[in-house]
Amino acid sequence: MSRFNVKKVAVLGAGVMGAQIAAHLVNVKVPVILFDLSAKEGPKNGIVSKAVDGLKKLKPAPLGVAADAALIVQANYEEHLELLKDCDLVIEAIAERMDWKLDLYRKIAPFLAPHAIVASNTSGLSITRLSEALPQEIKPRFCGIHFFNPPRYMMLVELINTPTTEPQILDDLETFVTSVLGKGVVRAKDSPNFIANRVGIAGMLATMKEVANFGLSYDVVDDLTGKKLGRASSGTFRTADVVGLDTMAHVIKTLQDTLSLEVDPFYESFATPEVLKTLLDMGNLGQKTKAGFFKKVGRDVLRFELESGEYVPAGQKADEVYARMLKKPAAERLQLLRNSEGAQGQFLWAILRNSFHYCAVHLASIADNARDVDYCMRWGFGMKQGPFELWQEAGWLMVANMVKEDIDAGKALCKAPLPDWVFQGPVADAGGVHTPQGSWNPSTGQFVLPRSLPVYARQHFPESVLGANAPSAQTAGKTLHEDEAIRLWTLDDEVLIASIKTKMHAISPGVVEGLLQGIELAEASYQGLVVWSSDEMFSAGADLQAMLPAFMIGGAAAIDGAEAEMQQAMLRLRYANVPVVSAVRGLALGGGCELAVYSAKRVVAMESYIGLVEVGVGLVPGAGGLTYIARRAAENAAASTGKDLLPFLTEGFTAAAMAKVGTSALESRKLGYVLESDVIVAHKDELLFVAINEAKAMFKSGYRAPHKRLFPVAGRSGVATIKGSLVNMRDGGFVSAHDFHIAGLIAEVVCGGDVDAGSLVTEEYVMALERKAFCSLLTHPKTQERIMGMMSTGKPVRN
């Protein structure tokens, strides 16, 4: 079977997007060459070199590991076009100028490999017009590929074909972008700004218009249009600052230049807002210039005020009554907002109504179906629900009639009526645009299912839309055991799956019992055990609240017993006779990290956050985390020519003592929580598929648990060395006295306590030291302050 094998990619243009696309390619192990113009002074690769250096400083970090910037090959158009011949995919990401792009295509055309796909990362220019500059033999391999900023983190990638693009090219590229880059792909029509920016920017413009109508301040609007509304926490105006007001202005101009009142009845809403013009004239472009709609002065956040042209203190919040309204069921929520008398409620109904109106009128011209619009708004603009999903959930015809009444009353942005399909025919009969038979395509008048490319067979539970009745991970497969703490189930009768159900997937006594039961079942009848959950939480750690009653009744002795049970469970995982694979996604903290490192293997989603964070609540890791650090140090030392254990302990000790969290699977690998033999998966929805197959492969390869071995520890001399450096940190004011005390206990555990350097110990011995340190801290007043502070506020207390 032939497949599109991307061995190397070229990215043309080292601007903000081009450099970050190159960085993400490095993250997923795809060799990449980053091109730009020759520098006028100094080294000819100077423009690219500056962009690559800048990647190391950007927040959020575009690279999983900053040092990997060195893996980006630097090139310029004057000297290195020959390098294009080795590239299977060429992504053009230069400035949004049609003439510049066309000129570059003419320049690179003679150097392109005969099989290479060429794609433009434009945010809205016509892909068909861009293709006209290409030779006839390249046109079938050309398309649009629109990443969202920042490319590492944003799920959405829009693919746009031209009339001459071969269908197989789109299929190949979608497969690569989905599985290798970990993105959600939507195929958009070649209309101005495609789907996400067309709907999203029109929505932002409409929001700005309604803000002026209702006289609301930007901070109040961001509070209303952020998490309360089920959208990105940055709301409207902070999102604009992050995107860049110049970028936003360019996208607006694309709408203005390529549309007209004849083709878009909302055209009059596309005028550049006065406040945006003012900020652009001031050079305040948002986050990149440290001032836009908001700016930070010291610790104070200020907001721009158009009337005075000055920045004034920000921080106003929405009225609490609207926060309560937004928690109501969808139908009641929309009715309450529409009927509210206050400006904030009327504003919220107006922007939602405008969204429903705009999406319905334009669905046929911008997208294949309603599902694609909803995915674009979820993946590209951080909405929990797309506009069609919310409309359908609230009651299709009820909302349609509310919108119609507003249009007829002149309250809407324009007088364009809702399409006929909204009120009659299959959509009205089905109660919405999303059904188990597919999502509505107004062009064909049918409900269409998602594409069934082979790559999607790797996603057991892909994201779906409301109304599609997709299989649920909570009920799929065959359940062997289920209680309030855990579900043990299987999809194929070959591998057992354990899904933790507690809040934040905290490891409670019930979870421990369920995992032990899962190991017994797996050893008896299955090829392996996979620990996996369907959301962004592997496990936030041990359930402290579950421990408190025992502590109150029996004191530290009661906790010692509970900790011993958790430690024994971790060892049972490690020495099980079938492979235990932890499929980690999102947070794996404290006990969650320990659960992962005691598994035979880890399959980790790229965007995972792994670490031993117990110091934040005044404790030390107590379920084997420090024992793991001590054992791994001994194993790493044994594999090297060095005799001194201490250098191999340093990173693990520091990570635990400073509660370091790997902010990607790649960074967690550097911290030692993910091993070189583990698998990092780019697409979150492929995690279970890969984990199950890893378990099967290990079993079929004759998996046997590791031998229980004695291992050497650094002993009292190692403790003394570490504590010596801690004294300097304490006396220099870098750590508190209590942090010093906790770090000293961590040093004693990972070094094996009061024994000679090189003494051979068991895991159980080190675990006993770990429990002793953990229980001693539980009785400490400073630790109790930290625990109660975390439970009441969710934030660490520094004392």
Side-chain angles (χ1 to χ4, degrees), residues 329-620:
E332 185 180 353
R333 183 192 326 156
L334 295 189
Q335 288 176 317
L336 284 170
L337 292 174
R338 186 172 187 243
N339 297 328
S340 65
E341 296 182 0
Q344 294 178 23
Q346 286 290 307
F347 161 77
L348 284 170
W349 163 249
I351 63 171
L352 292 171
R353 175 202 64 217
N354 294 341
S355 172
F356 302 148
H357 188 191
Y358 192 86
C359 289
V361 167
H362 286 297
L363 175 58
S365 64
I366 64 173
D368 176 71
N369 60 77
R371 178 181 52 250
D372 288 348
V373 172
D374 282 345
Y375 278 162
C376 278
M377 302 316 293
R378 276 160 50 174
W379 295 342
F381 280 81
M383 295 183 179
K384 285 187 178 177
Q385 279 186 310
F388 285 119
E389 288 180 289
L390 174 58
W391 183 347
Q392 183 165 331
E393 184 185 9
W396 185 262
L397 287 176
M398 181 196 80
V399 174
N401 284 315
M402 287 161 60
V403 174
K404 181 180 184 301
E405 287 170 14
D406 278 14
I407 295 170
D408 294 344
K411 295 179 181 178
L413 290 175
C414 73
K415 294 181 179 179
L418 292 171
D420 291 340
W421 58 259
V422 169
F423 295 100
Q424 56 195 0
V427 170
D429 294 341
V433 290
H434 302 308
T435 72
Q437 292 73 45
S439 293
W440 182 246
N441 179 331
S443 300
T444 63
Q446 295 178 317
F447 294 106
V448 294
L449 291 167
R451 275 182 306 285
S452 56
L453 295 178
V455 69
Y456 293 118
R458 296 170 59 87
Q459 299 179 13
H460 288 303
F461 302 101
E463 281 197 54
S464 187
V465 286
L466 179 85
N469 290 353
S472 167
Q474 283 68 48
T475 55
K478 180 171 72 177
T479 300
L480 285 90
H481 166 81
E482 185 168 13
D483 56 31
E484 60 185 11
I486 201 165
R487 180 183 180 223
L488 302 175
W489 57 290
T490 180
L491 276 172
D492 57 9
D493 288 322
E494 294 183 343
V495 171
L496 190 65
I497 303 165
S499 296
I500 301 172
K501 294 171 54 181
T502 52
K503 184 179 180 182
M504 298 185 76
H505 301 174
I507 300 175
S508 65
V511 170
V512 171
E513 186 179 336
L515 288 171
L516 292 174
Q517 185 176 344
I519 294 169
E520 288 183 16
L521 280 169
E523 288 180 333
S525 307
Y526 295 89
Q527 296 179 19
L529 173 66
V530 169
V531 184
W532 172 85
S533 297
S534 60
D535 57 18
E536 298 284 349
M537 189 75 65
F538 179 72
S539 172
D543 189 346
L544 286 175
Q545 284 186 314
M547 290 184 182
L548 283 179
F551 179 68
M552 299 299 290
I553 296 169
I559 299 302
D560 184 87
E563 284 296 296
E565 287 181 13
M566 285 188 70
Q567 290 175 342
Q568 287 306 309
M570 296 301 170
L571 292 175
R572 184 76 176 89
L573 285 170
R574 173 166 164 75
Y575 295 109
N577 288 325
V578 290
V580 177
V581 178
S582 278
V584 178
R585 172 184 168 198
L587 297 180
L589 305 177
C593 175
E594 289 165 318
L595 172 56
V597 299
Y598 274 86
S599 300
K601 193 161 199 170
R602 286 138 297 278
V603 174
V604 188
M606 177 69 75
E607 298 309 324
S608 297
Y609 300 82
I610 307 174
L612 297 170
V613 296
E614 287 84 351
V615 169
V617 287
L619 294 170
V620 299

Side-chain angles (χ1 to χ4, degrees), residues 702-768:
Y703 175 80
R704 299 292 300 176
H707 283 293
K708 283 195 172 188
R709 296 179 185 275
L710 298 174
F711 58 90
V713 289
R716 65 178 72 87
S717 60
V719 176
T721 302
I722 293 175
K723 283 188 173 179
S725 64
L726 291 173
V727 167
N728 294 332
M729 294 182 71
R730 181 196 62 192
D731 293 348
F734 296 105
V735 296
S736 70
H738 194 47
D739 286 328
F740 173 80
H741 175 59
I742 297 168
L745 291 175
I746 292 173
E748 290 174 13
V749 176
V750 298
C751 291
D754 188 16
V755 297
D756 293 336
S759 295
L760 296 177
V761 301
T762 64
E763 287 170 293
E764 288 85 352
Y765 167 81
V766 182
M767 282 180 167

Side-chain angles (χ1 to χ4, degrees), residues 159-220:
L159 296 184
I160 310 96
N161 68 311
T162 74
T164 55
T165 307
E166 283 185 6
Q168 187 62 45
I169 292 296
L170 267 291
D171 289 351
D172 288 343
L173 192 54
E174 180 166 349
T175 299
F176 172 75
V177 171
T178 299
S179 197
V180 179
L181 302 189
K183 300 302 176 187
V185 173
V186 169
R187 295 195 189 182
K189 293 187 177 182
D190 191 11
S191 59
N193 290 344
F194 315 129
I195 301 173
N197 273 344
R198 178 72 173 272
V199 174
I201 295 300
M204 291 182 84
L205 287 169
T207 298
M208 291 181 185
K209 191 163 186 161
E210 300 294 2
V211 167
N213 290 343
F214 290 100
L216 302 178
S217 63
Y218 306 136
D219 43 5
V220 168

Side-chain angles (χ1 to χ4, degrees), residues 25-86:
L25 287 161
V26 165
N27 289 337
V28 296
K29 293 186 175 180
V30 176
V32 60
I33 307 168
L34 182 60
F35 281 83
D36 211 304
L37 297 166
S38 299
K40 293 179 181 178
E41 298 177 358
K44 290 192 175 181
N45 283 341
I47 294 173
V48 176
S49 297
K50 185 177 179 182
V52 171
D53 287 342
L55 291 170
K56 303 172 192 174
K57 303 165 192 170
L58 280 178
K59 297 293 179 187
L63 288 157
V65 177
D68 284 352
L71 299 175
I72 299 173
V73 176
Q74 302 179 18
N76 64 76
Y77 304 128
E78 184 179 330
E79 298 176 306
H80 303 123
L81 287 179
E82 285 283 339
L83 296 176
L84 291 174
K85 293 180 178 179
D86 296 326

Side-chain angles (χ1 to χ4, degrees), residues 16 20 58-60 149-150 201 204 208 218-219 222 225 232-249 252 275-280 282-297 300-305 311-312 314 381:
V16 172
Q20 292 196 63
L58 280 178
K59 297 293 179 187
N149 190 23
I201 295 300
M204 291 182 84
M208 291 181 185
Y218 306 136
D219 43 5
D222 276 2
T225 60
S233 57
S234 51
T236 300
F237 294 99
R238 282 183 181 82
T239 297
D241 279 349
V242 170
V243 169
L245 303 192
D246 53 340
T247 301
M248 185 177 171
I252 293 170
V275 63
L276 184 58
K277 288 181 188 174
T278 303
L279 288 168
L280 291 170
M282 293 169 67
N284 293 358
L285 308 181
Q287 188 170 280
K288 67 181 79 173
T289 60
K290 300 190 181 346
F293 286 103
F294 296 93
K295 78 172 180 179
K296 199 169 183 182
V297 179
D300 298 324
V301 176
L302 308 179
R303 63 174 167 83
F304 185 68
E305 190 177 69
Y311 284 89
V312 300
F381 280 81

